[in-house]
Amino acid sequence: MKSRHLVFLGPPASGKGTQGLRLARENHLAYLSTGALLRGALRDKTALGQEARSFLDRGEYVPDKIMIPMVLEWVGEQGDGWLLDGFPRTVPQVEALDSLLEVKPLAIILHVSDDELRRRVSCRLECVECHRVAREGEGHLCPECQGKLEPRADDAAENFENRLAEYRRLVIPAVTYYCDQQRARIVNGMGSPDEVYARVRG
Ligand code: AMP
């Protein structure tokens, strides 16, 4: 992986968290999942959590005016390399990130069929402490930090369908933008996490 500025895009449950975290660790990149950050803020009842709650509850995206300054601040604090999981998700977010950087990021886009996404959310768990993703049947405690594994509230069927619609409406134009600039790698996200990771690493 040559680029050290990476963004992961993909529909909900496409494996952004699992693959992004693994790639970041292997390449010693700072890692930020904006979804996990927002869920943590909700749980800790911070001001950000209060602002984001109604959007997350409805399966809608949090407005750019909240997301952009927050993520740009994080990026500005990082040194050598970083990986963003779940940002950018709109064309204004792509443009804001680009405007900050001399070396533009490379986008990795995970492609998974809708049927497989629905199957994955139906059995997905997340650690409430470190936000590692797990599956039903893998126990009740996170293998990494011993935190509690729970289903994500926003994986309920109706919420999930809204997020999928938001993905089509807002993220697909962002994907097109990266493709037009030849800064996108579309990766087949079907198969086991190891199989997908082998493709992600390239
Ligand atoms: P994720 O964990 O990536 O599936 O994100 C969960 C939810 O957090 C999304 O459905 C959005 O409501 C919100 N979210 C995360 N990242 C962003 C972003 N870049 N822009 C807007 N909303 C976001």
Side-chain angles (χ1 to χ4, degrees):
M1 186 64 54
K2 266 188 253 151
S3 175
R4 292 187 61 78
H5 292 164
L6 298 172
V7 300
F8 259 67
L9 280 71
S14 57
K16 297 187 299 292
T18 305
Q19 301 297 334
L21 189 58
R22 191 164 166 186
L23 191 67
R25 282 186 177 161
E26 197 171 285
N27 290 281
H28 308 288
L29 303 172
Y31 170 83
L32 178 70
S33 157
T34 45
L37 179 85
L38 293 167
R39 286 189 293 283
L42 213 72
R43 188 162 165 257
D44 297 342
K45 299 191 168 62
T46 64
L48 171 66
Q50 310 288 0
E51 263 187 302
R53 176 177 298 282
S54 63
F55 301 101
L56 291 168
D57 283 351
R58 291 194 299 260
E60 289 172 13
Y61 284 180
V62 175
D64 287 342
K65 68 174 193 305
I66 300 176
M67 296 305 300
I68 290 175
M70 188 171 77
V71 176
L72 294 201
E73 188 185 338
W74 182 86
V75 168
E77 288 164 355
Q78 306 312 310
D80 174 31
W82 44 259
L83 185 154
L84 287 170
D85 156 8
F87 186 101
R89 261 178 154 110
T90 64
V91 170
Q93 291 182 14
V94 175
E95 290 171 340
L97 186 60
D98 275 359
S99 71
L100 189 76
L101 301 166
E102 270 177 44
V103 182
K104 309 292 181 217
L106 173 77
I108 298 183
I109 294 135
L110 292 175
H111 183 75
V112 174
S113 74
D114 289 358
D115 284 351
E116 173 64 6
L117 296 173
R118 293 192 180 98
R119 192 193 65 74
R120 288 184 189 178
V121 280
S122 69
C123 59
R124 171 159 81 166
L125 301 175
E126 186 183 68
C127 173
V128 296
E129 301 295 338
C130 74
H131 304 286
R132 183 185 187 278
V133 180
R135 273 169 206 82
E136 275 174 12
E138 288 181 4
H140 300 290
L141 292 182
C142 174
E144 213 147 300
C145 76
Q146 305 303 307
K148 213 168 149 208
L149 295 175
E150 286 184 355
R152 273 172 53 170
D154 62 354
D155 278 349
E158 192 188 337
N159 191 313
F160 173 77
E161 294 301 330
N162 286 345
R163 285 155 62 213
L164 202 50
E166 288 283 77
Y167 180 78
R168 297 207 175 97
R169 186 171 72 87
L170 294 167
V171 187
I172 293 294
V175 169
T176 305
Y177 181 107
Y178 281 120
C179 289
D180 286 349
Q181 296 211 350
Q182 302 187 335
R183 289 198 276 135
R185 258 186 62 208
I186 299 184
V187 173
N188 174 5
M190 302 287 284
S192 72
D194 283 348
E195 284 166 346
V196 177
Y197 189 65
R199 296 180 203 127
V200 165
R201 277 176 89 189

